[in-house]
Amino acid sequence: MSDDVLDAATDYETILVTRYGPALVVTVNRPRALNALAQQVVAELLDLTGRLAEALPSADAPAAGEWVCRGVIVTGTGEKAFVAGADIREMSGMTPEQAEAYARDMHRVTLNLEALPVPVIAAVNGFALGGGCELAMACDFIYASENAAFGQPEVSLGLVPGFGGSVRLQQRVGVGIARELIMTGRRITAAEAHRIGLVNQVFADHAALLDAARDTVDTIAAQAPTAVANAKATMNAVAHRSVADGLDVEAAAFRAAFTTEDSRIGRDAFLSKESASFSGR
Ligand code: CAA
């Protein structure tokens, strides 16, 4: 079970990792710096996401690994901030080379999150600025509380987005809105983020937000694990292809689904009018 991952997580100092049923909740925990992504946070996120990838089955090798969790929820400690960005205090002493290494480490975290075979939900409570917005965008989808605020304010610091914002914001909200937000550094409310499609749903407060994210993981946990992993991997793979190329990828994924025990269990359960109890194989 995920006990190995949870055991290792007790050594982390800047993130908290807790399990709620099938959900693993990862909380960035530096409230005095509004949960800014200091290098230690990045290192701990890198370690955690690496361990999770090793523990879970992969879409290529569904028989290896265990379904140690069925969804990951990423959030921040407190009501005020999800993550207020890269750590500006640390960055003030960085050379260009160190800054690039910092960005590349965080890129690896975001790619690890995208590659996990389980959904990752950002539960954004309060400020998600710069690297915070970028961390949220590396998750499969974003829920927010009413007090959430999003933005890429890097130009106000003489910087540019460094943790994936130049790429992922355009994909999430379209070229025009992404360019406006990055070029002005303008901060937007949860309501506006919802309207432009950055956020899926908005909840009254942090507690309601976490309840909703956990409910969503419960819903996902009732589905076939291999199918959810296959669907995520397929959507990742088709994201930047032509329709025709994407349909090729989808056809291969559909074929692969028919090789799983879960697909046999799911079809048989439907036909015998029973609820499916998936094996995750
Ligand atoms: N890095 C380091 N420390 C930060 C921080 C950050 N990104 N954001 C806030 N803090 C610290 C503040 O320095 C302050 O610490 P002290 O009490 O020791 O002075 C503490 O958190 C509380 O912050 P404020 O007093 O500023 O709180 P506020 O309510 O007045 O303002 C805020 C909140 C609007 C979020 C403001 O803190 C702020 O603008 N933060 C910076 C946001 C930002 O620019 N983020 C982008 C960073 S660059 C980046 O992320 C690049 C990239 O793409 C990788």
Side-chain angles (χ1 to χ4, degrees), residues 32-33 36 47 69 78-80 95 121 126 150 160 163 167 179 182 205-206 217 219 232 244 249:
R32 272 179 289 177
D47 187 77
C69 68
E79 296 297 316
K80 191 166 173 182
T95 64
I121 304 172
F150 296 80
V160 296
F163 293 169
V167 182
R179 287 171 191 234
I182 286 175
D205 53 32
H206 199 185
V217 175
T219 301
K232 175 169 172 172
V249 173

Side-chain angles (χ1 to χ4, degrees), residues 37 86 102-111 114 130-138 152 154 160-172 178 182:
L37 297 173
Y102 181 38
R104 287 190 184 278
D105 280 347
M106 191 57 199
H107 289 167
R108 288 165 61 206
V109 170
T110 62
L111 292 169
E114 287 180 339
C133 188
E134 292 165 310
L135 173 62
M137 290 191 292
Q152 297 288 160
E154 288 85 354
V160 296
F163 293 169
S166 327
V167 182
R168 293 192 179 96
L169 192 59
Q170 299 199 83
Q171 293 169 354
R172 291 264 171 176
I182 286 175

Side-chain angles (χ1 to χ4, degrees), residues 8-81:
T10 56
D11 289 339
Y12 301 146
E13 292 175 356
T14 63
I15 60 174
L16 303 171
V17 184
T18 43
R19 184 166 31 175
Y20 289 88
L24 205 69
V25 181
V26 181
T27 306
V28 180
N29 187 34
R30 292 186 71 220
R32 272 179 289 177
L34 301 188
N35 303 325
L37 297 173
Q39 291 164 93
Q40 187 177 355
V41 184
V42 175
E44 290 178 1
L45 288 172
L46 200 49
D47 187 77
L48 173 69
T49 54
R51 285 178 191 277
L52 271 175
E54 268 178 33
L56 286 160
S58 72
D60 298 338
E66 294 282 328
W67 293 103
V68 294
C69 68
R70 295 298 312 281
V72 175
I73 298 167
V74 181
T75 193
T77 289
E79 296 297 316
K80 191 166 173 182

Side-chain angles (χ1 to χ4, degrees), residues 181-204:
L181 291 177
I182 286 175
M183 290 171 184
T184 61
R186 183 166 73 85
R187 208 185 291 167
I188 61 173
T189 62
E192 184 171 355
H194 185 221
R195 186 172 57 70
I196 65 175
L198 183 61
V199 162
N200 284 20
Q201 294 189 62
V202 180
F203 301 91

